[in-house]
Amino acid sequence: MTRMKDKVVIITGAAQGIGAVYAKALAAEGARVVIADVLDGAPLAEEINASGAEAMAVRADVADEVSAKAMAQAAMKRFGRIDVLVNNAAIYASLEIQPFEDIDLNEWDKVMAVNVRGPFICARAVAPRMKARGYGRIINISSGTPFKGTPNLLHYVTSKGAVLALTRALARELGEHGIAVNTLAPGLVLSEGVIANQAMRDKLTAPVLASRALKRDQTPEDLIGPLLFLASDESAFMTGESVVVDGGSVMH
C-alpha cells in the first residue's frame, strides 16, 4: 500500500492506545512516522522498523512549546520535511465522570493544557515547515461529545469543542499556504485506556450503544480509514471540516 508513500507524519500521543494504531496504519501505507509522546515510543518505533517501514520516537510534551519545537526539529533532522501532523495526544480515559461542580480546577487546567493548548502549540511548531513547501495536512482529534453535549465530563467536552473551533479558524489562516486542517471526531472507542477504566465503561457503554445507528462497540481500527483519507491527497480539497466516526450516534 502506497497511499502515504514517503510522507512524513508526526503523531502525538502515539506510544500506545489509538495513537499507536494510527502510527502502524500510516506506516503500513508507506509513511515515515514520528511517534511523539511523553511516554517511551521506542518499542513501537522498533516494531514498525522491523516490519520494513520507517519510524522514530521523540519524547514530547505537547503542552510545552519548547518540547513541541524540539519535536518538529527532530522530524526535520531525520526526514527533512513534515507533511502531516496528527494532534492525537489528549487526556480522557483517566478522567472521572462527575458533575461539573466537583471537577478540580487543577484537573480542568491540565485537560485544557493538553487537549487545547497542545494542538495549538504543535500546529505552530510544524506550520513554518509546511508553509515553506506549500503543502501540509493537520488532523485534530476531537470527539463526538461536543456535538451531543455529553454531561459529567465538562472539562473534556469543552476542550474537544474548542478543537472544533481551532480547526475551522486555523483552516482559514493556513489555506492560502496549501495546508488543509480537518477534525476527526471519534465516539466512545474501546481503547486501552477506556478498557482499563471500568467505571467509565459501566456508565457510558449502554447509553452510547443505544444512541448508535450501528449497534456495536467502536474499536480503534474503525478510525483507520477516515484518518488515512484525511492524511492523504484523497481529501485534497477539503478543509475546516469535522468527520464524525461513531456508528451514527452523532449525525450532522
Side-chain angles (χ1 to χ4, degrees):
M1 304 294 285
T2 58
R3 197 179 339 181
M4 297 296 297
K5 182 173 173 56
D6 296 328
K7 295 287 177 67
V8 177
V9 183
I10 296 175
I11 310 159
T12 66
Q16 63 179 13
I18 298 174
V21 172
Y22 291 160
K24 292 176 184 178
L26 287 159
E29 288 285 342
R32 294 176 287 176
V33 175
V34 180
I35 299 160
D37 206 312
V38 291
L39 303 176
D40 184 9
L44 178 59
E46 292 170 4
E47 179 184 343
I48 291 172
N49 289 328
S51 72
E54 194 170 0
M56 66 176 292
V58 177
R59 291 271 191 175
D61 177 357
V62 299
D64 180 81
E65 188 170 28
V66 173
S67 183
K69 286 181 177 179
M71 172 191 74
Q73 289 167 355
M76 290 296 294
K77 183 177 180 180
R78 173 73 177 270
F79 298 122
R81 57 197 266 195
I82 299 170
D83 296 290
V84 182
L85 167 67
V86 182
N87 274 318
N88 171 69
I91 296 174
Y92 171 63
S94 61
L95 297 174
E96 179 183 353
I97 298 173
Q98 59 185 329
F100 81 94
E101 297 98 333
D102 297 335
I103 293 174
D104 181 80
L105 287 180
N106 289 327
E107 184 173 89
W108 173 281
D109 290 342
K110 185 177 180 180
V111 169
M112 293 301 161
V114 175
N115 295 13
V116 184
R117 177 182 165 101
F120 161 63
I121 288 176
C122 290
R124 192 154 69 174
V126 304
R129 280 81 175 183
M130 293 180 174
K131 285 181 178 180
R133 295 180 54 240
Y135 178 91
R137 300 279 183 271
I138 296 175
I139 304 168
N140 296 318
I141 308 298
S142 181
S143 164
T145 57
F147 294 93
K148 297 188 289 186
T150 300
N152 299 318
L153 280 169
L154 191 67
H155 43 359
Y156 176 77
V157 177
T158 301
S159 73
K160 290 304 186 178
V163 168
L164 298 175
L166 183 152
T167 294
R168 292 166 183 161
L170 195 58
R172 295 285 184 191
E173 289 199 37
L174 294 179
E176 66 181 283
H177 302 286
I179 302 168
V181 188
N182 290 293
T183 298
L184 179 60
L188 178 65
V189 181
L190 292 187
S191 63
E192 294 172 12
V194 169
I195 290 172
N197 189 336
Q198 188 63 48
M200 178 175 284
R201 290 194 65 191
D202 289 344
K203 290 181 180 179
L204 295 182
T205 298
V208 167
L209 282 175
S211 73
R212 287 176 176 163
L214 301 175
K215 304 295 186 182
R216 67 166 176 83
D217 287 323
Q218 181 171 4
T219 69
E221 287 71 25
D222 290 319
L223 298 166
I224 291 174
L227 177 79
L228 291 172
F229 170 70
L230 293 175
S232 71
D233 291 335
E234 293 175 6
S235 59
F237 202 55
M238 177 178 169
T239 194
E241 297 298 335
S242 305
V243 179
V244 181
V245 183
D246 70 349
S249 178
V250 170
M251 298 182 183
H252 75 110

